[in-house]
Amino acid sequence: MNTQTHRLFSRRNFIRTGLIGALSSYGYAYWIEPDRLSVTRQDILLPHLPKSLDGLIIAQLTDFHYQPDSQEELISEAVKITNAANADIIALTGDYITHTTGVFAPLMELLGKLRAKHGIYGVMGNHDGWYGSVSYFKKGFRETGLEFLVNQGTSIKINGENVYITGTDSIWSGTVDSPACYRGHSGEPVIALVHEPDVFDSLRQNHRVDLQLSGHTHGGQCRVPLVGYAPVKVRYGENYIHGEYQKDDSRIFVSRGLGTVGHRVRFACAPEVAILTLRSGRS
Ligand SMILES: [Fe+2]
């Protein structure tokens, strides 16, 4: 084989290997990873959490974007894992649907099986607001026996201590009325449920936020393996993409969520059930 022919074959091999690699990655991202449920178990240190609340478990499920044909098993499994965690509180942080409210009732049939000692609380996501209304989702939650917090909060007593759970509307499809969210708050630790994570900056500047739980970003949905870089950013989810972040005495945890939007692909960014244990202290 002369040098020119050798180079031609090398180039062909390179292109063929590249194509096979790209097709395999796409196949994995399409056929496998969206169904590969992962569980994140993490302690979150809160500087002002009373000692009597140390060990409080919050399970978070978010961004279902429910598709009954392909996701029933995934969501059923997520419900089972969540119930096995014996959570004190379950947070559902929005985007139950993508384009139609027709999938909401079958999703609530599955979510109705969730159990928590001190309540299950949901908030609106941007897709919910674009294709449905607050009253529609609130009614569905109420009929399933779950709480729905939109620009309102509620104080609950756990181990003799009050904890304030507040939920905002989606900032993208609705209006965040933070004074309304804190009406009734009288100094107790605050867990804020907010679909879009970037609301964190304004919320914590004006109000007490011990922990904000958010979704919306899907963790980027596709990330660069090992490095973890997420190239695709979404509006109101540009500053906090996935995992825990700390700002002064406030913490935010952003879950990768369960579903997908746009192309049904996930890469190095598996669907997630988050089981968070609150700890009193600072890192
Ligand atoms: Fe969203």
mmCIF file of all heavy atoms in Angstrom, residues 63 65 95 125-127 172 195-196 215-218, ligand 1:
data_model
loop_
_atom_site.group_PDB
_atom_site.id
_atom_site.type_symbol
_atom_site.label_atom_id
_atom_site.label_comp_id
_atom_site.label_asym_id
_atom_site.label_seq_id
_atom_site.Cartn_x
_atom_site.Cartn_y
_atom_site.Cartn_z
ATOM 1 N N ASP A 63 -40.022 18.163 37.210
ATOM 2 C CA ASP A 63 -39.924 18.140 35.738
ATOM 3 C C ASP A 63 -40.272 16.778 35.139
ATOM 4 O O ASP A 63 -39.457 16.163 34.451
ATOM 5 C CB ASP A 63 -38.523 18.613 35.305
ATOM 6 C CG ASP A 63 -38.317 20.075 35.651
ATOM 7 O OD1 ASP A 63 -38.063 20.374 36.833
ATOM 8 O OD2 ASP A 63 -38.465 20.914 34.754
ATOM 9 N N HIS A 65 -42.717 16.231 32.876
ATOM 10 C CA HIS A 65 -43.016 16.345 31.433
ATOM 11 C C HIS A 65 -43.639 15.022 30.984
ATOM 12 O O HIS A 65 -43.177 14.389 30.025
ATOM 13 C CB HIS A 65 -41.746 16.662 30.629
ATOM 14 C CG HIS A 65 -41.206 18.029 30.932
ATOM 15 N ND1 HIS A 65 -41.785 19.172 30.455
ATOM 16 C CD2 HIS A 65 -40.153 18.439 31.686
ATOM 17 C CE1 HIS A 65 -41.117 20.236 30.889
ATOM 18 N NE2 HIS A 65 -40.135 19.812 31.642
ATOM 19 N N ASP A 95 -43.604 21.558 36.235
ATOM 20 C CA ASP A 95 -43.535 20.976 34.890
ATOM 21 C C ASP A 95 -44.006 19.519 34.902
ATOM 22 O O ASP A 95 -43.250 18.590 34.577
ATOM 23 C CB ASP A 95 -42.141 21.137 34.256
ATOM 24 C CG ASP A 95 -41.987 22.488 33.554
ATOM 25 O OD1 ASP A 95 -42.962 23.277 33.560
ATOM 26 O OD2 ASP A 95 -40.909 22.767 33.006
ATOM 27 N N GLY A 125 -44.874 24.907 37.203
ATOM 28 C CA GLY A 125 -43.721 25.061 36.312
ATOM 29 C C GLY A 125 -44.141 25.915 35.131
ATOM 30 O O GLY A 125 -45.341 26.162 34.926
ATOM 31 N N ASN A 126 -43.190 26.341 34.339
ATOM 32 C CA ASN A 126 -43.524 27.223 33.216
ATOM 33 C C ASN A 126 -44.420 26.537 32.188
ATOM 34 O O ASN A 126 -45.359 27.138 31.667
ATOM 35 C CB ASN A 126 -42.256 27.782 32.556
ATOM 36 C CG ASN A 126 -41.252 26.725 32.169
ATOM 37 O OD1 ASN A 126 -40.812 25.955 33.028
ATOM 38 N ND2 ASN A 126 -40.872 26.661 30.911
ATOM 39 N N HIS A 127 -44.166 25.242 31.907
ATOM 40 C CA HIS A 127 -45.022 24.532 30.947
ATOM 41 C C HIS A 127 -46.450 24.401 31.484
ATOM 42 O O HIS A 127 -47.408 24.473 30.713
ATOM 43 C CB HIS A 127 -44.444 23.149 30.640
ATOM 44 C CG HIS A 127 -43.289 23.211 29.695
ATOM 45 N ND1 HIS A 127 -43.409 22.988 28.336
ATOM 46 C CD2 HIS A 127 -41.984 23.506 29.904
ATOM 47 C CE1 HIS A 127 -42.230 23.134 27.764
ATOM 48 N NE2 HIS A 127 -41.342 23.443 28.690
ATOM 49 N N TRP A 172 -41.663 32.453 34.678
ATOM 50 C CA TRP A 172 -41.693 32.542 33.214
ATOM 51 C C TRP A 172 -43.133 32.609 32.683
ATOM 52 O O TRP A 172 -43.457 33.412 31.810
ATOM 53 C CB TRP A 172 -40.942 31.349 32.607
ATOM 54 C CG TRP A 172 -40.517 31.557 31.192
ATOM 55 C CD1 TRP A 172 -40.887 32.561 30.352
ATOM 56 C CD2 TRP A 172 -39.607 30.722 30.461
ATOM 57 N NE1 TRP A 172 -40.268 32.402 29.131
ATOM 58 C CE2 TRP A 172 -39.488 31.293 29.170
ATOM 59 C CE3 TRP A 172 -38.895 29.558 30.751
ATOM 60 C CZ2 TRP A 172 -38.682 30.720 28.186
ATOM 61 C CZ3 TRP A 172 -38.097 29.006 29.774
ATOM 62 C CH2 TRP A 172 -37.989 29.579 28.510
ATOM 63 N N HIS A 195 -39.959 26.726 40.883
ATOM 64 C CA HIS A 195 -39.598 25.950 39.693
ATOM 65 C C HIS A 195 -38.269 26.425 39.079
ATOM 66 O O HIS A 195 -37.345 25.640 38.888
ATOM 67 C CB HIS A 195 -40.723 26.001 38.666
ATOM 68 C CG HIS A 195 -40.403 25.228 37.425
ATOM 69 N ND1 HIS A 195 -40.310 23.857 37.422
ATOM 70 C CD2 HIS A 195 -40.100 25.627 36.162
ATOM 71 C CE1 HIS A 195 -39.987 23.445 36.211
ATOM 72 N NE2 HIS A 195 -39.849 24.497 35.429
ATOM 73 N N GLU A 196 -38.189 27.715 38.780
ATOM 74 C CA GLU A 196 -36.998 28.225 38.092
ATOM 75 C C GLU A 196 -35.936 28.645 39.120
ATOM 76 O O GLU A 196 -36.163 29.545 39.931
ATOM 77 C CB GLU A 196 -37.361 29.428 37.206
ATOM 78 C CG GLU A 196 -38.257 29.076 36.014
ATOM 79 C CD GLU A 196 -39.736 29.327 36.300
ATOM 80 O OE1 GLU A 196 -40.109 29.445 37.500
ATOM 81 O OE2 GLU A 196 -40.514 29.409 35.329
ATOM 82 N N GLY A 215 -36.110 22.978 39.938
ATOM 83 C CA GLY A 215 -35.853 22.038 38.842
ATOM 84 C C GLY A 215 -35.581 22.859 37.599
ATOM 85 O O GLY A 215 -34.663 23.659 37.564
ATOM 86 N N HIS A 216 -36.393 22.645 36.565
ATOM 87 C CA HIS A 216 -36.436 23.481 35.361
ATOM 88 C C HIS A 216 -35.291 23.240 34.385
ATOM 89 O O HIS A 216 -35.501 23.178 33.192
ATOM 90 C CB HIS A 216 -36.500 24.954 35.771
ATOM 91 C CG HIS A 216 -36.646 25.917 34.633
ATOM 92 N ND1 HIS A 216 -37.655 25.812 33.707
ATOM 93 C CD2 HIS A 216 -35.905 27.009 34.269
ATOM 94 C CE1 HIS A 216 -37.533 26.811 32.822
ATOM 95 N NE2 HIS A 216 -36.482 27.538 33.137
ATOM 96 N N THR A 217 -34.061 23.103 34.882
ATOM 97 C CA THR A 217 -32.905 23.007 33.980
ATOM 98 C C THR A 217 -32.717 21.605 33.413
ATOM 99 O O THR A 217 -31.999 21.431 32.424
ATOM 100 C CB THR A 217 -31.608 23.358 34.730
ATOM 101 O OG1 THR A 217 -31.441 22.411 35.787
ATOM 102 C CG2 THR A 217 -31.647 24.760 35.301
ATOM 103 N N HIS A 218 -33.287 20.602 34.071
ATOM 104 C CA HIS A 218 -33.035 19.177 33.759
ATOM 105 C C HIS A 218 -31.544 18.872 33.906
ATOM 106 O O HIS A 218 -31.041 17.945 33.281
ATOM 107 C CB HIS A 218 -33.508 18.801 32.351
ATOM 108 C CG HIS A 218 -34.946 19.121 32.101
ATOM 109 N ND1 HIS A 218 -35.582 18.849 30.925
ATOM 110 C CD2 HIS A 218 -35.895 19.684 32.896
ATOM 111 C CE1 HIS A 218 -36.839 19.252 30.986
ATOM 112 N NE2 HIS A 218 -37.053 19.761 32.175
HETATM 113 FE FE FE B 1 -39.375 24.305 33.300
#
